[in-house]
């Protein structure tokens, strides 16, 4: 085998590999002898078929196998001997000339091909002890616990019918039949019977619930509304509509005392125990938010500190993934770049910078993880798979089977775990000072201040010790923050047409932008 470097420019490498016809012939002979005792040929006893006869029968197909194996083995060897680490699976280019390939298969010509790839850049990691970070810490106030308990109580609130002749008030629950019409014609899915609606819940289109206040059970009315422009059912979006409504029952909420009895309904001993459980839950949520903001802050510091050449293909793959997600989001929202006060060229430049940031941080975190021997256990992977399955109630078995049958998908579960472990390691090496903040300050969105570009908490560090095994075309689906739907407000579109007045909240641009950076 002869290897000649034909390109060495920045991170780009190209090698020309030549394997002599004699070496291919030798491997073919070896394969022929291997199958001699395995094949059954009419007219010959097992193991007694002449090699030349086997060559006439199987030589061509075996030589094709030899060529493929030779390309795989020789390309790996050629790269390994250079002591360089490809940033992705190298590209192999065989001769395009069919006559040349035919001569190789016939054993009359050497096998020559090219290997092109980019290498993982070399950079110094250095010391993290001079990185200064602030961790926001918010106390769990009694008022916050009271608020949480009140919200819990509302879920258990019971209603009792109002006396005959009493009108509906805000906060009451009404039972109604309705028929929706556009231009006087009933539309598909626009009717409902015995639907229950809590007035003031903002479950239905703005303006619908308010028009029921003051009505009595047994009364009929016509509600006039306009579907929001961003309504989930496209054919209804922006359309004025009327609903013929019959109010069948008006029920007032019963008082629900938050006391020991309420706690016992929830399976706890007393109110004190319930308050402590709620305090612990809120404290856990605060800690998650605090850790998330700390991670963003760390990645910002690292992004400012490190600057090295990046493999172009990794950046391009990352950018294409981001861009596809962004444009799909904008299409769903019916928005244009002009609506976002930008142009497509400006947006492309912005998101390419984000792609570069993600690749750079991914390579850095990957190198740090290798250096400190970060590992992901089978137990941790199993836990991640269980958490993912919980996101799809009723389909858990299919989720488990999907991951078991798709190693690449399992790798995508492994990446975030690896990344978080590396982040935790770097934070442990840094100077972290706690900063007391209010709940409002803790939950304040830093993207408001950072123009959505530099405060992202995902670095795609999947590139660590598997950088040469795949091309980083990751597609993440676990962005729980972009799916924070209140299911009392947002329904599957199929259900929307059964409850045509259900309100569809517009997706915020900043949520889309966070998703682009993998948050």
């Amino acid at each position: 085998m002869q290897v000649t470097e034909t390109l060495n420019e920045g991170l780009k490498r190209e090698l020309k590999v030549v394997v002599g016809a004699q070496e291919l012939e030798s491997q073919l002979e070896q394969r022929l002898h291997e199958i001699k005792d395995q094949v059954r040929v009419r007219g010959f006893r097992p193991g007694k078929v002449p090699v030349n006869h086997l060559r006439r029968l199987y030589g061509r197909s075996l030589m094709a196998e030899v060529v493929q194996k030779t390309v795989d083995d020789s390309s790996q060897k050629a790269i390994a001997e250079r002591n360089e680490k490809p940033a992705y699976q190298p590209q192999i280019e065989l001769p395009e000339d069919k006559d040349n390939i035919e001569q190789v298969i016939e054993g009359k010509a050497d096998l020559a091909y090219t290997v092109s790839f980019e290498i993982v850049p070399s950079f110094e990691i250095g010391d993290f002890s001079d990185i200064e970070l602030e961790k926001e810490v918010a106390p769990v106030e009694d008022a916050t616990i009271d608020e949480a308990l009140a919200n819990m109580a509302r879920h258990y609130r019971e209603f009792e019918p109002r006396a005959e002749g009493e009108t509906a008030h805000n906060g009451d629950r009404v039972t109604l039949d309705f028929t929706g019409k556009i231009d006087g014609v009933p539309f598909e899915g626009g009717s409902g019977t015995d639907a229950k609606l809590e007035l003031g819940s903002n479950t239905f289109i703005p303006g619908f619930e308010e028009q029921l206040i003051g009505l009595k059970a047994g009364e009929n009315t016509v509600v006039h509304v306009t579907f929001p422009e961003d309504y989930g059912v496209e054919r209804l979006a922006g359309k004025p509509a009327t609903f013929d409504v019959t109010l069948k029952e008006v029920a007032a909420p019963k008082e629900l005392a938050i006391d020991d009895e309420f706690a016992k309904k929830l399976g706890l001993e007393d109110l004190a125990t319930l308050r402590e459980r709620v305090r612990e839950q809120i404290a856990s949520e605060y800690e998650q938010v605090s850790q998330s903001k700390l991670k963003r802050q760390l990645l910002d510091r690292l992004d400012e500190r490190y600057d090295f050449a990046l493999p172009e293909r990794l950046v391009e793959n990352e950018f294409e993934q981001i861009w596809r997600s962004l444009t799909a989001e904008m299409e769903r929202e019916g928005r244009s770049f002009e609506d976002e006060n930008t142009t497509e060229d400006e947006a492309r430049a912005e998101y390419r910078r984000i792609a570069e940031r993600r690749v750079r941080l991914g390579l850095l975190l990957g190198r740090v993880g290798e250096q400190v021997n970060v590992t992901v256990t089978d137990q941790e992977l199993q836990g991640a798979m269980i958490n993912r399955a919980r996101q799809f109630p009723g389909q858990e078995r299919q989720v488990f089977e999907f991951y078991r049958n798709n190693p690449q998908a399992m790798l995508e579960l492994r990446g975030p775990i690896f990344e978080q472990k590396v982040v935790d390691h770097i934070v442990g090496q840094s100077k972290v000072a706690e900063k007391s903040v209010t709940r409002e300050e803790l939950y304040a969105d830093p993207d408001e201040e950072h123009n959505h570009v530099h405060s992202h908490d995902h670095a795609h560090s999947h590139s660590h010790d598997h950088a040469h095994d795949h091309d980083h075309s990751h597609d993440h689906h676990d962005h729980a923050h972009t799916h924070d739907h209140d299911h009392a407000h947002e329904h599957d579109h199929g259900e929307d047409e059964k409850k045509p007045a259900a309100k569809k909240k517009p997706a915020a641009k900043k949520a889309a932008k966070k998703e682009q950076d993998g948050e």
Side-chain angles (χ1 to χ4, degrees):
M1 179 180 75
Q2 295 180 345
V3 181
T4 305
E5 183 179 75
T6 55
L7 176 65
N8 188 327
E9 184 178 300
L11 301 178
K12 295 181 179 179
R13 301 289 185 271
E14 185 176 279
L15 310 176
K16 181 178 180 180
V17 181
V18 179
V19 180
Q22 186 174 354
E23 184 175 343
L24 295 176
E25 172 63 24
S26 176
Q27 293 185 44
L28 175 61
E29 283 284 334
Q30 181 177 341
R31 284 291 291 126
L32 288 169
H33 281 87
E34 286 175 358
I35 71 169
K36 185 176 180 181
D37 295 332
Q38 301 170 3
V39 298
R40 296 292 182 265
V41 178
R42 182 178 298 179
F44 295 93
R45 288 180 295 167
K48 299 299 182 180
V49 185
V51 172
N52 287 338
H53 189 62
L54 289 175
R55 181 189 292 271
R56 285 194 296 272
L57 294 175
Y58 305 111
R60 186 176 182 83
S61 61
L62 288 177
M63 179 59 92
E65 292 179 13
V66 166
V67 168
Q68 182 60 56
K69 186 175 185 303
T70 299
V71 169
D72 292 342
D73 293 347
S74 58
S75 61
Q76 291 179 22
K77 182 179 179 182
I79 293 171
E81 289 176 347
R82 296 175 59 83
N83 197 31
E84 292 178 327
K85 186 174 181 179
Y88 48 80
Q89 185 68 34
Q91 293 180 301
I92 308 293
E93 291 188 17
L94 294 170
E96 295 183 0
D97 188 341
K98 293 183 179 180
D99 291 338
N100 180 272
I101 292 293
E102 187 65 27
Q103 291 213 336
V104 171
I105 295 295
E106 292 177 359
K108 299 177 181 178
D110 296 341
L111 169 65
Y113 64 92
T114 59
V115 185
S116 57
F117 56 96
E118 293 175 274
I119 62 172
V120 174
S122 176
F123 54 89
E124 292 295 325
I125 294 178
D127 187 11
F128 299 119
S129 61
D130 60 340
I131 294 180
E132 296 183 355
L133 304 170
E134 269 189 349
K135 180 182 179 182
E136 296 183 357
V137 179
V140 181
E141 305 285 355
D142 286 342
T144 304
I145 299 175
D146 293 339
E147 180 184 339
L149 288 172
N151 288 332
M152 291 173 61
R154 275 196 289 271
H155 287 290
Y156 289 87
R157 182 168 49 190
E158 296 178 351
F159 293 83
E160 59 183 355
R162 285 189 176 275
E164 184 177 353
E166 287 192 18
T167 60
H169 296 68
N170 195 42
D172 286 355
R173 188 184 70 190
V174 298
T175 303
L176 66 155
D177 295 344
F178 60 85
T179 300
K181 300 177 182 178
I182 293 179
D183 295 329
V185 179
F187 56 88
E188 183 181 355
S191 299
T193 301
D194 291 331
K196 295 188 183 301
L197 170 63
E198 186 176 334
L199 302 182
S201 65
N202 295 320
T203 303
F204 281 13
I205 298 173
F208 188 100
E209 297 171 22
E210 292 86 338
Q211 296 179 52
L212 302 183
I213 294 175
L215 297 180
K216 304 173 185 177
E219 285 192 304
N220 298 320
T221 190
V222 178
V223 173
H224 296 264
V225 293
T226 298
F227 283 94
E229 293 290 342
D230 56 3
Y231 189 67
V233 181
E234 186 176 353
R235 62 185 176 80
L236 301 179
K239 297 286 183 66
T242 61
F243 286 86
D244 298 335
V245 175
T246 297
L247 210 60
K248 302 176 78 171
E249 182 185 73
V250 176
K254 290 182 178 180
E255 287 296 326
L256 178 61
I258 301 175
D259 52 18
D260 289 345
E261 289 304 313
F262 176 64
K264 290 176 181 178
K265 286 183 179 180
L266 300 179
L268 299 175
E269 297 177 4
D270 50 33
L271 181 58
T273 304
L274 174 59
R275 290 185 67 87
E276 185 58 32
R277 291 287 179 86
V278 172
R279 181 185 298 276
E280 291 171 358
Q281 178 63 34
I282 294 173
S284 176
E285 292 172 0
Y286 282 8
E287 177 65 15
Q288 289 178 26
V289 175
S290 178
Q291 289 291 347
S292 176
K293 295 179 77 170
L294 183 65
K295 178 180 178 180
R296 291 189 191 185
Q297 190 182 151
L298 172 65
L299 294 182
D300 283 346
R301 298 287 186 276
L302 296 176
D303 188 43
E304 295 164 359
R305 173 176 292 212
Y306 292 90
D307 184 19
F308 47 81
L310 302 174
E312 292 180 7
R313 181 173 166 186
L314 291 190
V315 174
E316 187 62 30
N317 286 344
E318 200 68 54
F319 171 76
E320 288 300 328
Q321 177 189 323
I322 292 172
W323 192 254
R324 283 195 303 270
S325 181
L326 170 70
T327 52
E329 179 77 14
M330 292 181 66
E331 184 176 347
R332 285 194 298 270
E333 295 182 8
R335 298 184 65 82
S336 66
F337 291 106
E338 185 177 344
D339 294 329
E340 306 294 342
N341 296 318
T342 187
T343 66
E344 182 173 344
D345 288 343
E346 290 173 344
R348 282 183 176 273
E350 176 185 0
Y351 286 104
R352 187 166 293 278
R353 287 193 296 272
I354 292 175
E356 290 172 351
R357 167 191 167 95
R358 291 172 69 173
V359 171
R360 182 180 298 110
L361 292 175
L363 291 170
L364 172 63
L365 297 186
R367 180 73 61 81
V368 174
E370 291 177 350
Q371 189 177 74
V372 299
N373 297 318
V374 169
T375 59
V376 177
T377 66
D378 290 341
Q379 185 176 2
E380 288 169 329
L381 274 178
Q382 186 72 13
M385 189 162 55
I386 290 172
N387 288 335
R388 177 61 59 83
R390 286 173 178 165
Q391 298 175 15
F392 302 91
Q395 303 178 51
E396 291 85 356
R397 181 185 297 274
Q398 294 94 315
V399 173
F400 284 127
E401 289 178 356
F402 171 77
Y403 281 105
R404 290 195 182 101
N405 297 328
N406 291 273
Q408 179 65 31
M410 286 298 292
L411 188 62
E412 290 172 2
L413 283 182
R414 183 180 188 272
I417 302 172
F418 175 91
E419 176 182 295
Q420 188 58 52
K421 284 189 167 186
V422 177
V423 167
D424 291 343
H425 168 78
I426 299 176
V427 168
Q429 304 296 309
S430 306
K431 298 175 182 176
V432 181
E434 290 192 351
K435 176 185 177 182
S436 295
V437 297
T438 64
R439 177 179 67 167
E440 291 72 24
E441 290 171 330
L442 178 65
Y443 278 91
D445 189 350
D447 280 351
E448 297 284 351
E449 303 170 8
H450 292 278
N451 196 28
H452 309 300
V453 178
H454 297 297
S455 55
H456 311 281
D457 72 346
H458 203 340
H460 270 204
S461 61
H462 314 51
S463 57
H464 56 292
D465 56 343
H466 289 279
H468 58 288
D469 291 332
H470 53 92
D471 64 4
H472 296 254
S473 298
H474 306 308
D475 185 13
H476 301 282
H477 303 285
D478 54 341
H479 307 304
H481 64 282
T482 63
H483 303 292
D484 56 345
H485 308 310
D486 178 348
H487 293 293
H489 293 191
E490 295 190 35
H491 310 280
D492 178 271
H493 294 341
E495 282 298 310
D496 276 350
E497 297 200 45
K498 295 178 182 177
K499 300 178 181 178
K503 183 174 72 172
K504 179 70 176 176
K505 293 186 288 187
K509 177 188 176 188
K510 65 182 180 181
K513 282 208 168 189
K514 287 181 184 179
E515 183 170 355
Q516 308 322 311
D517 205 32
E519 185 176 308

